[in-house]
Amino acid sequence: MNELDVRAIAEFGRKVADNIGKVIVGKRREIKLVLTALLSEGHILLEDVPGVGKTMLARSLAISIGGSFSRIQCTPDLLPSDITGVSVFNQKVGDFVFRPGPIMAQVVLADEINRATPRTQSSLLESMGEMQVTVDGNTYKLEKPFLVIATQNPIEYEGTFPLPEAQLDRFFMRIRLGYPSVVEEKEMLQRLQVAHPIANLSPCTTLNQVAAMQQLVAQVFVEDSVRDYIVRLVHASRTHPQAQLGASPRGSLALMRACQACAALHGRDFVIPDDVKENAVSVLAHRILLRPEGIMRGMTSEMLVEELLERVPVKAEPVM
Amino acid sequence: MTVQTEKRITPSVLPLAGAVFAAGTGILVANYISMFYGRWAVPPWLYALLPLFALESVYYSAYVLSPRSPFTWRVMELSAAAALIMLCLRLEHSCTYPLWAFWHYLRDLEFLVPFSLVLLTWAMAGGFGGQMARIARVRDELGDQATATLSCEYDSLSMKAPEASLPIEYFLARLMGVGFLLACLAVAAQRRGDLAGAPVGTRLVLGALHVLTLASGLFLLGSAYLHRLTTIWFQVQLSYPPQLAARWLRNLAVVCLAAAVIVSVMPVDFSPITVDEIIRALARLAARAGRDAGLSVQSEVPAGRAERLPPVPLGELEHAEPSFWVGVLTLLYMLFTALFTVTAALTFLGFLIVAFAQAELERIQGLPRAAVRLYQVVRESVQQLSRFFLRQLRRVRDKAASMQAQAVSLGQPDGGGEEQRRRENVVARDIRAAFRQLVQAAAAAGHGPRPGETPAEFGRRLAAVVPEDEEEVSNFIAHYHVARYSRRGLGTSLRQRALGEAERIMERLRRMRGRKGNE
């Protein structure tokens, strides 16, 4: 990996972020996190109240990278075959023909995923983990890049099926969009007065370029002390008195990948501890299960990770 | 993974092994004491008391005692031991209060030696019992949740308190400690010629006791480990070979036999240090200290020096009037000695309490609590001191690396590929040394790094402190990042620039510190 490659990734990130920024006002940090997940080949769980632009973010990303987009509106009566696709009998041909489901797209938005039944949720799991779907004994490979953006509403829990820990762990990062600021919301009203900007959005890169960037990101150098910092951070999450379940080894791997992507987006070919700090909350928080007493004290897993970031020494040099 | 019926090593033999190990240790120590110091010879009935109290303590701790049991119960057990020893010694006291009588007898060696041995055995056995109860608690804690996941074993290990040790570590530490103690005693007995002069029966009994203690210790350690393992495996419903316990016991027997043979065959007369030599060295030190303080006692002067130093008769010494400063020095010396002795004794007591009564630390009050605190303070101080010395060592090493880097940059402007890489590494170390110096300078100015702070965060905070050098700080941190975290090093010109920036920032910090000092 040379300097030109790094510059190309940083330029790619800037171009895509600017393109998405035409639709999503502000939220540069969240857009950067989404790009980090895309470059790390991870999947995103967007958790926020309705109407903050989760769907728009997913759609604008799909358009920006020139990929296909599909949306799955999860409901309790949604079946696994509604996601993966189904084989129907074609009378003309006299045989069963596979009709692909919405999962066969580059960017898939699973809206309100916690409203689907566990059976349906788990069918999504195979696609996310294995990059393939199996229907009627036939396995279909999914095209790269493949990104699942699932959303869930943290307020309303009636009639929902909370995602099990195993499935949460498969999401690369959890992002909360949050409400826009007053200035941003005013600008949004101005932009949307006549027409929605997504109608005029055009791709700014190609799928081949995205795939190439994903391969380059894996070559970003991670120095041993930074790797050690990541591991100590994850281990500290397991021994924290308020944590019932700490982050998994998959969590440390995800954090390292996120740091590599983040460093590349910053135009660096090496990871620094600040990359770890920048991504730790998004990558680790949803993998940590708090003890009931911690929850009753008003603690959240994000707060726990932030506390760990304050407490776990970076050890840049021995004197520190 | 298959569910299977409970087929595990029965844990009821574990306390018995613990009691045998503790009692064996106590009896061996008693034997050696009798051998070394004839007037401290322990009475024969003590050999019956030691196993009795070991059994009582280990079974009581394993099956009855819980973290909620009052500490008074343990004190009552000790009182019963003291009363039994007094009864056996047929000691009588004319004091009104039993506690006062106890204090009176504590100064009597006839009582103190047997009581100390009972205390040692009882405490060791109690500790083993406590650890066995902990193993049982792990099983209770795992309970139903263990059936869900295999990671519960890891959780049970990782969720332990930072101060707490695993039961296995506890057993291993005791086994090694007792082994070392008995080896020292055996070597000392051999070198003094006590063993050679002893009748064959005594030597055989001693050998048998050594083998029994060693074997019971090994059995205890191994069985406890196997018991814990099988408990956890059973709880997580993991299938393990049913013949595991039998196979394991066979291996343990082989290990015990081999250890016993090795211990019996090994020549023990190899240690250059014996108890006698340590006592003689201490006596020499005490004599020298006494002489330095102006007091010369005839009995303390070693035989070799008696010719050079004319002895002062004790009678004359009592009537001699020492000078004022000698008196003050002697008084200070005595005070220091007393303080040191009390501190050392309390620290040791604290160590014993921490080691033996970990679960009950929060309940102890008064002197034991003070002893524990003192032990923790001493331990912390020793750790801090060792960290300090390590830091100094590292600083010296960095300075040497910096000098080497300068020599390389002055001596050889161009080199081959290997040489270039070596130079780059030296340069990287050099920048890192500069960063360390910068951190130290910032700390001296009151802006040292915080625990979880990254170099960039530290740099941003430093830039706010020295706004005039904001650009230098951010440039230096960027260069430091390349030198510290990237695969390629910094070029010579960039390195010179970074070092110059660091020097300017440090100079600013030094000036700031000086201004503060003047104010």
Side-chain angles (χ1 to χ4, degrees):
Chain A
M1 187 177 203
N2 55 37
E3 256 184 60
L4 282 176
D5 295 334
V6 177
R7 275 191 209 153
I9 297 174
E11 180 59 23
F12 160 84
R14 196 189 52 74
K15 259 192 318 188
V16 177
D18 286 348
N19 210 42
I20 296 174
K22 288 176 189 167
V23 178
I24 306 290
V25 185
K27 307 288 173 205
R28 297 298 289 196
R29 188 182 160 273
E30 287 75 13
I31 293 170
K32 199 178 145 223
L33 285 173
V34 170
L35 287 177
T36 304
L38 174 71
L39 289 177
S40 314
E41 300 182 54
H43 306 288
I44 302 166
L45 179 65
L46 280 178
E47 192 177 280
D48 222 318
V49 291
V52 289
K54 301 187 290 273
T55 314
M56 276 303 126
L57 177 63
R59 280 184 64 187
S60 50
L61 176 71
I63 296 171
S64 297
I65 62 172
S68 51
F69 171 79
S70 67
R71 174 180 173 151
I72 306 164
Q73 188 62 48
C74 297
T75 52
D77 57 354
L78 187 78
L79 294 172
S81 56
D82 294 338
I83 292 178
T84 54
V86 65
S87 295
V88 291
F89 188 73
N90 189 332
Q91 285 187 334
K92 278 186 190 169
V93 188
D95 199 2
F96 282 93
V97 178
F98 177 65
R99 292 183 69 177
I103 198 75
M104 306 282 186
Q106 257 92 40
V107 179
V108 179
L109 175 72
D111 212 3
E112 298 203 71
I113 188 171
N114 55 341
R115 293 208 176 273
T117 56
R119 189 175 159 219
T120 312
Q121 287 174 3
S122 63
S123 74
L124 201 58
L125 201 74
E126 189 201 355
S127 326
M128 287 164 59
E130 314 292 329
M131 294 279 290
Q132 63 182 31
V133 287
T134 307
V135 180
D136 293 339
N138 296 321
T139 301
Y140 302 92
K141 290 273 175 200
L142 295 172
E143 275 182 64
K144 275 192 176 184
F146 174 65
L147 174 71
V148 173
I149 301 181
T151 71
Q152 67 174 5
N153 181 345
I155 307 295
E156 215 177 341
Y157 283 109
E158 275 177 39
T160 62
F161 304 91
L163 288 173
E165 296 308 318
Q167 193 151 350
L168 273 178
D169 200 38
R170 302 213 173 208
F171 282 102
F172 186 76
M173 54 170 66
R174 181 174 68 184
I175 305 171
R176 295 182 199 273
L177 277 181
Y179 287 118
S181 66
V182 174
V183 180
E184 287 168 356
E185 202 161 350
K186 218 168 124 185
E187 195 189 330
M188 184 193 83
L189 292 182
Q190 197 181 352
R191 277 196 207 176
L192 297 180
Q193 194 174 349
V194 181
H196 203 293
I198 200 156
N200 302 321
L201 201 67
S202 54
C204 62
T205 182
T206 60
L207 289 174
N208 287 342
Q209 252 190 332
V210 175
M213 299 293 163
Q214 285 177 337
Q215 282 181 353
L216 279 177
V217 159
Q219 292 169 29
V220 170
F221 178 64
V222 187
E223 208 264 335
D224 197 46
S225 67
V226 180
R227 215 175 288 133
D228 177 61
Y229 179 46
I230 292 172
V231 173
R232 278 187 289 116
L233 207 58
V234 171
H235 270 253
S237 80
R238 293 171 196 162
T239 51
H240 194 284
Q242 300 296 346
Q244 190 173 351
L245 189 74
S248 59
R250 191 188 280 148
S252 29
L253 184 65
L255 186 53
M256 191 183 75
R257 291 252 180 273
C259 293
Q260 285 178 303
C262 180
L265 285 171
H266 275 122
R268 268 184 278 109
D269 62 348
F270 58 90
V271 175
I272 59 172
D274 297 77
D275 299 325
V276 181
K277 284 199 160 184
E278 199 174 326
N279 293 287
V281 174
S282 311
V283 176
L284 296 182
H286 65 286
R287 299 168 201 266
I288 295 170
L289 191 65
L290 291 177
R291 286 181 185 281
E293 54 264 36
I295 297 168
M296 284 170 78
R297 278 183 200 154
M299 192 171 202
T300 60
S301 47
E302 279 87 357
M303 285 159 74
L304 191 143
V305 177
E306 275 161 13
E307 188 195 316
L308 292 179
L309 289 173
E310 290 283 315
R311 197 158 52 86
V312 176
V314 176
K315 287 188 183 163
E317 290 298 328
V319 76
M320 291 184 86
Chain B
M1 294 233 293
T2 53
V3 181
Q4 64 170 38
T5 53
E6 187 163 5
K7 197 184 282 180
R8 292 178 291 133
I9 273 201
T10 166
S12 56
V13 290
L14 284 181
L16 186 65
V20 171
F21 181 60
T25 309
I27 290 172
L28 274 171
V29 172
N31 264 302
Y32 281 116
I33 285 178
S34 306
M35 203 177 277
F36 295 157
Y37 307 102
R39 64 198 183 97
W40 288 2
V42 289
W45 47 260
L46 190 68
Y47 296 126
L49 274 192
L50 290 175
L52 179 74
F53 275 100
L55 277 170
E56 180 273 330
S57 185
V58 72
Y59 275 100
Y60 181 70
S61 306
Y63 293 115
V64 183
L65 200 68
S66 76
R68 292 186 181 189
S69 315
F71 193 66
T72 333
W73 282 109
R74 302 300 274 169
V75 177
M76 281 172 70
E77 281 177 78
L78 270 184
S79 309
L84 206 59
I85 292 169
M86 282 182 198
L87 201 71
C88 291
L89 284 170
R90 292 192 179 79
L91 292 176
E92 289 178 1
H93 63 84
S94 55
C95 306
T96 320
Y97 302 105
L99 264 180
W100 180 246
F102 181 67
W103 173 246
H104 180 72
Y105 288 127
L106 264 186
R107 289 178 298 166
D108 188 352
L109 277 180
E110 200 183 349
F111 170 79
L112 187 61
V113 174
F115 182 70
S116 304
L117 286 170
V118 168
L119 181 66
L120 171 80
T121 312
W122 173 85
M124 197 189 288
F128 292 150
Q131 295 303 316
M132 286 157 203
R134 270 186 69 194
I135 295 179
R137 272 205 297 279
V138 166
R139 184 182 56 195
D140 298 341
E141 279 166 15
L142 290 177
D144 293 336
Q145 62 165 326
T147 57
T149 170
L150 262 176
S151 67
C152 56
E153 158 64 348
Y154 179 79
D155 290 343
S156 74
L157 300 183
S158 60
M159 282 192 290
K160 72 189 170 76
E163 285 294 314
S165 60
L166 287 175
I168 310 307
E169 292 168 14
Y170 183 91
F171 290 127
L172 183 66
R174 264 66 191 169
L175 182 62
M176 287 173 71
V178 166
F180 182 71
L181 173 74
L182 292 183
C184 286
L185 288 172
V187 168
Q190 186 81 7
R191 284 182 66 89
R192 280 166 55 99
D194 292 332
L195 277 181
V200 182
T202 311
R203 276 186 284 167
L204 278 177
V205 167
L206 269 179
L209 275 171
H210 269 287
V211 171
L212 180 71
T213 310
L214 180 72
S216 60
L218 281 171
F219 179 80
L220 175 69
L221 174 72
S223 308
Y225 182 70
L226 187 67
H227 172 49
R228 181 180 162 84
L229 207 61
T230 49
T231 300
I232 291 166
W233 284 0
F234 180 76
Q235 288 298 323
V236 297
Q237 301 188 351
L238 184 74
S239 61
Y240 57 90
Q243 67 275 26
L244 176 76
R247 206 183 296 163
W248 181 87
L249 279 172
R250 189 195 60 203
N251 291 346
L252 181 71
V254 171
V255 169
C256 285
L257 204 65
V261 168
I262 289 168
V263 167
S264 308
V265 171
M266 278 283 281
V268 288
D269 192 13
F270 56 82
S271 168
I273 302 166
T274 62
V275 174
D276 284 349
E277 278 172 9
I278 293 170
I279 289 172
R280 268 204 293 277
L282 283 176
R284 271 201 297 275
L285 271 178
R288 191 178 296 167
R291 207 170 46 248
D292 290 348
L295 287 174
S296 173
V297 182
Q298 188 182 3
S299 58
E300 288 179 355
V301 176
R305 296 187 175 216
E307 293 166 11
R308 281 181 282 146
L309 295 170
V312 181
L314 273 174
E316 282 181 27
L317 191 71
E318 280 168 9
H319 296 292
E321 181 77 22
S323 72
F324 173 73
W325 289 112
V326 170
V328 169
L329 279 178
T330 310
L331 191 67
L332 284 177
Y333 170 73
M334 285 168 69
L335 277 176
F336 174 76
T337 311
L339 198 67
F340 180 78
T341 311
V342 169
T343 309
L346 278 178
T347 309
F348 184 63
L349 178 66
F351 164 72
L352 286 181
I353 294 172
V354 169
F356 286 113
Q358 270 188 354
E360 300 177 348
L361 279 183
E362 67 274 11
R363 279 210 305 281
I364 54 174
Q365 297 291 331
L367 190 69
R369 194 182 182 83
V372 169
R373 286 272 169 85
L374 189 67
Y375 165 66
Q376 285 167 344
V377 166
V378 169
R379 196 175 58 175
E380 182 65 25
S381 311
V382 169
Q383 283 171 351
Q384 279 181 1
L385 267 176
S386 59
R387 277 200 293 268
F388 170 77
F389 283 122
L390 279 176
R391 261 207 309 273
Q392 296 306 318
L393 197 70
R394 217 172 279 135
R395 193 176 290 173
V396 171
R397 209 176 52 198
D398 288 343
K399 197 162 271 182
S402 166
M403 286 165 71
Q404 193 187 356
Q406 280 174 1
V408 167
S409 63
L410 287 173
Q412 294 174 338
D414 289 316
E418 187 61 33
E419 182 61 22
Q420 183 68 23
R421 267 195 296 282
R422 197 171 67 80
R423 276 173 56 193
E424 278 175 357
N425 280 340
V426 172
V427 169
R429 279 210 300 274
D430 204 14
I431 299 280
R432 290 171 64 176
F435 180 76
R436 269 201 287 275
Q437 285 170 1
L438 182 65
V439 165
Q440 280 161 1
H447 304 286
R450 291 166 187 161
E453 207 168 42
T454 63
E457 286 169 340
F458 168 68
R460 279 195 289 276
R461 209 158 46 77
L462 197 62
V465 175
V466 281
E468 305 90 340
D469 292 335
E470 193 179 344
E471 202 182 327
E472 272 95 344
V473 173
S474 79
N475 285 342
F476 174 72
I477 294 293
H479 290 138
Y480 170 74
H481 278 155
V482 176
R484 176 74 178 86
Y485 298 112
S486 88
R487 214 179 332 215
R488 59 195 153 81
L490 275 180
T492 315
S493 61
L494 279 177
R495 170 207 156 216
Q496 293 296 349
R497 218 174 103 189
L499 290 179
E501 284 158 356
E503 190 49 46
R504 275 196 293 281
I505 303 162
M506 279 190 275
E507 185 54 38
R508 179 85 66 184
L509 284 169
R510 274 195 285 272
R511 278 209 299 275
M512 184 186 283
R513 194 178 159 204
R515 270 206 304 275
K516 265 188 192 171
N518 290 339
E519 281 166 12

